[in-house]
Amino acid sequence: MRPASYKAVVDEFAAAIRASALPAGARLPTHRELARERRVALATATRVYAELAAMGLVVGEPGRGTFVRDRSGHDGLEPSRELPVPRVADLSFNQPLARGQADLLRLALRGLSTSGEVESLLRQHPPGGRRHDRAAVATYLLGRGIDSAPANVLLTGGTQQALDTVLRALTRPGDVLAVDALTYPGVKLIAREQGLDLAPVPVTAAGPDLDALDRLCRARPVRAVYTMPTVHNPLGWVLDRGSRDRLVAMARARDFVIVEDGTYAFLDAAPPPPLRALAPERTCYVAGLSKNVATGLRFGFAVVPDRHVPAVTASLRAAAWGVPGIVTALATGWIADGTVARLERDRRRDAAARQALARAALAGLDVTAHPASYLVWLGLEPYQRPDRVAALLAGQGILVSTGDAFAAGPYRPHALRLALGSPPLDELGPALRRLRTAIETIPP
């Protein structure tokens, strides 16, 4: 089929789906049926469905076929916040806040207004931050097992910017970025925008399949590996010391950069050493204060090897120059006075309590979670399509994220990712029980 005809088939299906002529849940012809009906090669029919899937219009389910996706807006990285009924619980995104944090902010702002540095907060800070601010973060990181000079710490506007900046500086379009087959959706967005070749690595119950990663490295020139070794999002694992040592040895032997995401690492009180501590010469560590302090603070950092500091600094300068002075002062002030450490202790207790509620409410279901995290991976039965389940729950006021938001490859898991951190604690248990009841009423 000529390219124009191939595109015409895609456009025809897309128009029918968007006009609801093909309704959500409709089963489409098999690849062979489509090829026969349109008199095209099987590979061309497969390409048609692949493009429709990339557009978010269809979903393929192994052994069952290809279906029109329910596009209600509750199955992506940023699900719709508008619900057809009053909201019961937002389990799609973690925005944990402790009681009294608003008062902490008021006190901090008053303190800044009377400090001798107030005028300097209105000046442009250098890319990566001022030395004494970087030193404050370097001191904080000692508590995470990372001993780094302030010169290697670069301040950013959140973890997402740290990750984007590091990858932009250290890779080029077309480079291979290895990630877990189930991974943080934000890295998928970055890979797409930067033109990186995302290579999914199969996952096990305890972490990435390192044998599979080694085979990938032998077959392709992997430039970087993105990993969350401590409290993985969405699966919650903590990679053991032996696996960390093996990953570091592989990085040195295969000459790739490790990008370690420590966003949720604070939730494990005694994890193995971070990869940055085991291989500081080739590991970039990114994290921030979104989950341990407040998502709206937008303060993060990247800890990078000496040889990469100039490139990452230049990337920061090109993207946003530097972090606003007021945000930096708030963040480093809370680090220095112990507020961040106290909030992290509170978060660990809170997350453990929420996991206990989740285990009780979801007992007997297919649950994967760290015992003290804000995340639950909930497996569904094969007949329960995640997008339809999400839409059903949205109709009852409950927002969730579906597993395909976290899938780095073609496999679409039959699962939901539940974020436990946002609802008030006394409302979480009833919301989870309501969620369970709704799921169990779905007929086979």
Side-chain angles (χ1 to χ4, degrees):
M1 182 184 284
R2 296 190 306 272
S5 299
Y6 149 71
K7 283 293 186 184
V9 177
V10 173
D11 293 343
E12 180 184 329
F13 272 106
I17 292 170
R18 288 171 175 144
S20 297
L22 284 171
R27 187 179 185 278
L28 300 181
T30 67
H31 293 217
R32 291 188 182 280
E33 289 169 346
L34 180 63
R36 186 170 58 252
E37 290 173 6
R38 300 304 178 108
R39 298 181 180 180
V40 298
L42 179 60
T44 301
T46 299
R47 188 179 177 191
V48 168
Y49 281 161
E51 183 153 334
L52 289 169
M55 296 163 68
L57 299 178
V58 305
V59 58
E61 299 182 12
R64 298 190 68 231
T66 303
F67 297 84
V68 176
R69 289 183 66 175
D70 187 301
R71 297 182 297 118
S72 60
H74 308 291
D75 61 346
L77 178 63
E78 283 296 332
S80 170
R81 304 292 160 182
E82 305 234 347
L83 293 173
V85 296
R87 180 175 300 183
V88 173
D90 185 349
L91 303 178
S92 67
F93 190 67
N94 275 322
Q95 298 197 64
L97 282 176
R99 190 173 300 160
Q101 275 194 251
D103 291 333
L104 283 176
L105 179 59
R106 290 187 188 96
L107 287 172
L109 290 173
R110 289 193 193 107
L112 288 180
S113 69
T114 58
S115 73
E117 269 206 323
V118 65
E119 187 173 312
S120 72
L121 302 182
L122 299 176
R123 302 184 193 279
Q124 177 66 61
H125 288 193
R130 298 176 298 181
R131 182 174 177 80
H132 67 275
D133 293 325
R134 293 155 79 167
V137 173
T139 300
Y140 161 74
L141 286 169
L142 291 172
R144 294 201 183 187
I146 295 174
D147 188 354
S148 176
N152 296 92
V153 177
L154 302 173
L155 308 186
T156 66
T159 309
Q160 182 73 7
Q161 188 188 41
L163 180 57
D164 177 72
T165 300
V166 165
L167 288 174
R168 194 175 299 278
L170 303 186
T171 64
R172 295 292 177 267
D175 280 351
V176 177
L177 172 64
V179 301
D180 300 323
L182 293 171
T183 192
Y184 166 55
V187 77
K188 294 166 53 181
L189 296 176
I190 290 172
R192 185 179 67 199
E193 294 302 313
Q194 295 188 16
L196 301 178
D197 188 350
L198 210 59
V201 176
V203 296
T204 71
D209 184 338
L210 295 181
D211 289 334
L213 176 59
D214 193 46
R215 289 193 296 271
L216 173 66
C217 290
R218 288 200 300 269
R220 304 182 65 191
V222 173
R223 171 60 181 151
V225 171
Y226 168 76
T227 183
M228 296 168 281
T230 307
V231 188
H232 181 273
N233 178 15
L235 298 175
W237 69 51
V238 176
L239 207 59
D240 63 35
R241 176 61 189 266
S243 297
R244 292 175 191 235
D245 287 340
R246 185 180 175 194
L247 179 56
V248 164
M250 197 182 304
R252 287 169 173 153
R254 303 296 182 187
D255 193 27
F256 58 74
V257 176
I258 298 172
V259 181
E260 179 180 13
D261 188 335
T263 297
Y264 283 106
F266 72 95
L267 288 169
D268 193 307
L275 299 171
R276 169 70 196 182
L278 300 178
E281 83 286 357
R282 63 176 55 249
T283 302
C284 297
Y285 184 92
V286 299
L289 301 187
S290 62
K291 305 305 181 185
N292 48 356
V293 178
T295 54
L297 191 57
R298 307 316 306 155
F299 180 84
F301 41 85
V303 188
V304 302
D306 291 338
R307 63 195 173 106
H308 297 314
V309 169
V312 178
T313 303
S315 183
L316 274 174
R317 181 184 289 112
W321 195 275
V323 183
I326 294 175
V327 172
T328 301
L330 278 172
T332 56
W334 276 341
I335 287 172
D337 69 11
T339 296
V340 171
R342 179 174 59 78
L343 287 174
E344 288 181 344
R345 290 192 296 271
D346 292 345
R347 292 280 192 272
R348 284 192 287 272
R349 287 192 292 268
D350 180 60
R354 290 170 185 269
Q355 281 293 338
L357 287 173
R359 285 195 300 273
L362 306 175
L365 300 184
D366 182 9
V367 168
T368 301
H370 184 281
S373 86
Y374 285 115
L375 307 172
V376 165
W377 185 254
L378 179 62
L380 300 175
E381 296 295 336
Y383 63 86
Q384 296 171 329
R385 283 185 45 210
D387 58 332
R388 299 302 299 276
V389 174
L392 172 66
L393 292 170
Q396 298 193 23
I398 301 173
L399 277 170
V400 297
S401 295
T402 57
D404 49 342
F406 301 85
Y411 169 67
R412 291 295 179 258
H414 263 67
L416 304 178
R417 202 289 305 263
L418 309 181
L420 308 180
S422 296
L425 189 61
D426 60 348
E427 297 177 11
L428 179 61
L432 289 170
R433 289 191 289 274
R434 187 167 177 172
L435 175 146
R436 177 183 187 137
T437 299
I439 290 175
E440 290 182 334
T441 59
I442 299 173

